[in-house]
Amino acid sequence: GGASGFGLETATRLLRAGMSVVILDVSVEELEAANQKLSTLAPDGVGVLAQRWCATDGLTPASQCQMSA
């Protein structure tokens, strides 16, 4: 994901080069931590939109997922 490892390092380098970035990750907690780190590099700040999605299709918000036993 974008909130750690290669994804976070790539976002960091792109921000340092003056570009805008969007990162995605399955972990909301890691996204929030990445936001804190990346916001220090972005002159206009960084916005994070975190939403949990169904693992099966990646398109349906978790609140609408049906869990099977």
Side-chain angles (χ1 to χ4, degrees):
S4 62
F6 289 119
L8 182 58
E9 182 62 26
T10 300
T12 299
R13 290 179 185 215
L14 292 173
L15 281 170
R16 285 185 178 145
M19 298 180 179
S20 297
V21 299
V22 173
I23 59 172
L24 302 172
D25 202 286
V26 297
S27 170
V28 173
E29 293 80 14
E30 287 188 23
L31 276 174
E32 290 170 352
N35 176 51
Q36 289 181 353
K37 177 183 178 184
L38 296 175
S39 64
T40 63
L41 303 174
D44 296 326
V46 174
V48 171
L49 175 62
Q51 174 81 42
R52 294 186 188 269
W53 302 92
C54 291
T56 55
D57 64 10
L59 303 172
T60 306
S63 61
Q64 297 175 11
C65 297
Q66 291 185 348
M67 305 304 268
S68 57

